[in-house]
């Protein structure tokens, strides 16, 4: 976002080793060729520009949300919001939800797609969630994808009672989503003991099922 204000030959310093989703996102932004990996411990740079974060973690700035949406969904026709997505934590290393298979079975029977976000490429995630009419998910990093969901998307977030965090409610507020939540008892490993009927009843009452 700041590059147009810098000299045309400005390069971007990046870590020496990047995850694939980081490389993919830089390529989609059209700046990968300007990236300079930094395996060195020390660098001497004549002119250095620093772009600070737009906000503190969990306090989302609408400017940043708009930038992400325009940057990664640019050029694509506005797709129909016809997807109901459940983000599974069934393969998560930390805080996998209890009773999730039973919930997923109920949702699948009602036309919901069960998604393991970690198995999708960055581009696949952005395109999938750009079609989201409703998202249901245990609290976790996969929920970040709601930034690509259209305004008006319905979001039901499922919490462990000993692991509460309002960051995705704040993101929903910036993106124009209808965010709601449920809280379930959890074990000492922060694993929420989901009640499938409570989740589906809530979705049905809200008209989201």
């Amino acid at each position: 976002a700041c590059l147009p204000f810098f000299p045309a030959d400005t390069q971007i310093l990046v870590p020496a080793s990047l995850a694939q989703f980081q490389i993919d996102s830089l390529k989609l932004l059209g700046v990968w060729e300007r990236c300079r990996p930094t395996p060195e411990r020390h660098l001497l740079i004549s002119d250095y520009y620093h772009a600070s974060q737009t906000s503190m973690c969990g306090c989302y700035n609408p400017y940043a949300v708009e930038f992400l949406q325009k940057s990664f969904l640019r050029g694509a026709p506005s797709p129909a919001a016809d997807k109901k997505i459940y983000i599974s934590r069934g393969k998560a290393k930390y805080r996998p939800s209890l009773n999730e298979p039973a919930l997923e079975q109920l949702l699948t029977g009602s036309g919901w797609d069960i998604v393991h976000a970690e198995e999708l490429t960055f581009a696949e995630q952005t395109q999938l969630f750009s079609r989201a009419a409703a998202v249901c998910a245990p609290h976790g990093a996969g929920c970040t994808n709601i930034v690509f969901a259209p305004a008006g998307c319905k979001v039901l977030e499922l919490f462990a009672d000993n692991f509460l965090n309002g960051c995705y409610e704040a993101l929903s507020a910036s993106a124009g989503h209808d965010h709601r939540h449920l809280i379930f008892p959890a074990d000492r490993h922060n694993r929420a003991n989901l009640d499938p009927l409570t989740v589906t009843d809530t979705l049905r009452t809200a008209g989201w099922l």
Side-chain angles (χ1 to χ4, degrees):
C2 294
L3 280 178
F5 302 99
F6 299 157
D9 60 350
T10 302
Q11 292 182 285
I12 305 169
L13 299 179
V14 298
S17 178
L18 293 176
Q20 188 59 48
F21 76 88
Q22 294 171 315
I23 296 173
D24 292 344
S25 65
L26 290 166
K27 288 181 177 178
L28 288 170
L29 284 171
V31 298
W32 177 243
E33 298 303 323
R34 299 174 67 169
C35 292
R36 196 276 195 188
T38 55
E40 305 88 352
R41 293 187 62 188
H42 305 283
L43 293 172
L44 181 61
I45 302 171
S46 56
D47 295 293
Y48 176 76
Y49 305 92
H50 173 70
S52 64
Q53 296 180 342
T54 59
S55 66
M56 295 175 63
C57 180
C59 303
Y60 292 94
N61 186 330
Y63 159 79
V65 171
E66 182 181 8
F67 172 78
L68 289 172
Q69 293 172 339
K70 286 185 175 180
S71 297
F72 294 111
L73 300 175
R74 65 180 186 271
S78 298
D82 57 357
K83 290 287 187 180
K84 294 186 291 185
I85 300 169
Y86 178 80
I87 306 174
S88 176
R89 288 192 65 82
K91 299 181 181 180
K93 183 177 181 180
Y94 301 105
R95 297 184 290 106
S97 299
L98 305 177
N99 289 339
E100 196 169 50
L103 174 58
E104 291 178 356
Q105 185 176 10
L106 289 176
L107 292 175
T108 299
S110 298
W112 286 66
D113 294 329
I114 309 303
V115 172
H116 296 271
E118 66 273 22
E119 296 179 348
L120 303 178
T121 66
F122 184 85
E124 288 171 340
Q125 291 179 64
T126 60
Q127 292 305 311
L128 174 62
F129 282 85
S130 71
R131 297 177 57 187
V135 176
C136 179
H139 175 80
C143 293
T144 306
N145 282 295
I146 64 174
V147 72
F148 301 115
C153 178
K154 317 298 184 182
V155 179
L156 180 63
E157 190 173 1
L158 313 178
F159 285 103
D161 62 3
N162 54 3
F163 199 94
L164 302 176
N165 187 321
C167 62
Y168 299 118
E169 182 178 4
L171 176 55
S172 287
S174 291
H177 301 149
D178 182 353
H179 182 282
R180 307 182 191 190
H181 69 272
L182 291 172
I183 300 174
F184 296 96
D187 63 14
R188 65 187 182 88
H189 299 293
N190 309 126
R191 296 181 298 183
N193 190 9
L194 303 179
D195 181 351
L197 292 180
T198 297
V199 175
T200 53
D201 285 347
T202 300
L203 292 171
R204 186 176 295 106
T205 300
W208 300 356
L209 194 59

